Amino acid sequence: MMSWNLGSPTPLFKRRSGTKSLLAATCAVIALSTLQIHAAQASEIHASDIRIERFTPDDYQALETTKMFPPPTAGMVQYILTMPPLTAERKDGTREEQDLQLQVQIGQTQMVDCNKHGLTGELKEHTLSGWGYSYYRLDALGAGISTQMACFDQAKKQAFVRIPGELRLGYDSRMPKVFYLPEGAEIRFRLWQAEPDFSYSK
């Protein structure tokens, strides 16, 4: 333990000054760290940031950004995926949406055994007449083939079983992605991001 000479105020004054300096430096480091954390969080984008809305013929609402698309018909569900805009992150100020892709798969969550399972169905791209926008429609979802391995006493597990193929769509915060799927079908998606720099052949 450090003792102080109360008869001499000089050491006490220096101690207080040093404490203030240390406190100020600590606050500065904390503030800088907080700014860095906020900056990192602002630059990240995840699939969970994409807003997904689901409409049936009974609860359909025409959204301002997608009101030009047809409402879902009987037995169909309309899914709307809206991507948040990205802020400029590069030194030259260019946006990074062009470096992202949205991967989309269609299927169902089922209880399955140890075999590999699939579903049948074809997701087709359509063009909205008079607008030129694309939307995607799956008219029917059916049981597919599976491998025939003996699973013995292995417990079944929950898994996403999908139709063949998938979509890779460019990230676009200005125009939502619109899908029409039969009731019972599910859509799952994730984001892919390219490296910011190109490599060149020599």
Side-chain angles (χ1 to χ4, degrees):
M1 179 180 295
M2 182 177 292
S3 62
W4 297 97
N5 183 357
L6 299 179
S8 176
T10 303
L12 184 59
F13 176 79
K14 288 183 178 179
R15 175 67 174 177
R16 287 177 176 173
S17 177
T19 302
K20 290 181 179 179
S21 299
L22 179 60
L23 180 60
T26 303
C27 291
V29 171
I30 293 174
L32 179 59
S33 300
T34 302
L35 288 175
Q36 290 175 338
I37 291 172
H38 284 194
Q41 290 175 342
S43 65
E44 294 176 353
I45 182 71
H46 303 282
S48 58
D49 298 319
I50 296 175
R51 187 172 77 251
I52 182 166
E53 289 159 298
R54 178 185 185 277
F55 296 111
T56 67
D58 295 331
D59 61 13
Y60 173 73
Q61 298 178 27
L63 304 181
E64 184 63 29
T65 55
T66 55
K67 61 183 180 182
M68 68 287 292
F69 290 91
T73 55
M76 301 294 288
V77 179
Q78 182 192 55
Y79 288 88
I80 301 172
L81 275 61
T82 304
M83 287 155 274
L86 301 183
T87 56
E89 299 174 8
R90 293 176 178 159
K91 293 181 180 179
D92 61 1
T94 57
R95 294 168 66 82
E96 289 195 340
E97 291 194 8
Q98 62 185 4
D99 296 333
L100 292 173
Q101 281 192 337
L102 180 69
Q103 179 187 11
V104 177
Q105 297 176 347
I106 307 298
Q108 282 182 333
T109 300
Q110 300 179 353
M111 296 299 296
V112 299
D113 57 18
C114 67
N115 286 282
K116 293 183 178 180
H117 298 264
L119 296 173
T120 59
E122 183 180 3
L123 185 67
K124 296 181 179 180
E125 181 178 3
H126 298 263
T127 301
L128 186 61
S129 179
W131 293 86
Y133 299 141
S134 293
Y135 64 92
Y136 303 88
R137 182 180 178 95
L138 174 68
D139 290 315
L141 189 66
I145 61 174
S146 68
T147 57
Q148 298 296 320
M149 296 186 297
C151 299
F152 300 107
D153 295 330
Q154 295 184 39
K156 289 188 175 182
K157 61 181 180 179
Q158 185 172 279
F160 186 79
V161 182
R162 62 188 182 93
I163 65 173
E166 61 183 24
L167 291 178
R168 292 290 182 97
L169 305 173
Y171 191 103
D172 187 358
S173 62
R174 297 167 299 177
M175 192 65 215
K177 308 299 184 187
V178 180
F179 297 82
Y180 297 89
L181 307 179
E183 291 182 356
E186 300 173 48
I187 180 171
R188 74 173 183 178
F189 52 91
R190 61 181 176 179
L191 291 174
W192 291 83
Q193 183 168 3
E195 294 181 352
D197 300 321
F198 283 90
S199 296
Y200 296 86
S201 60
K202 295 182 180 180

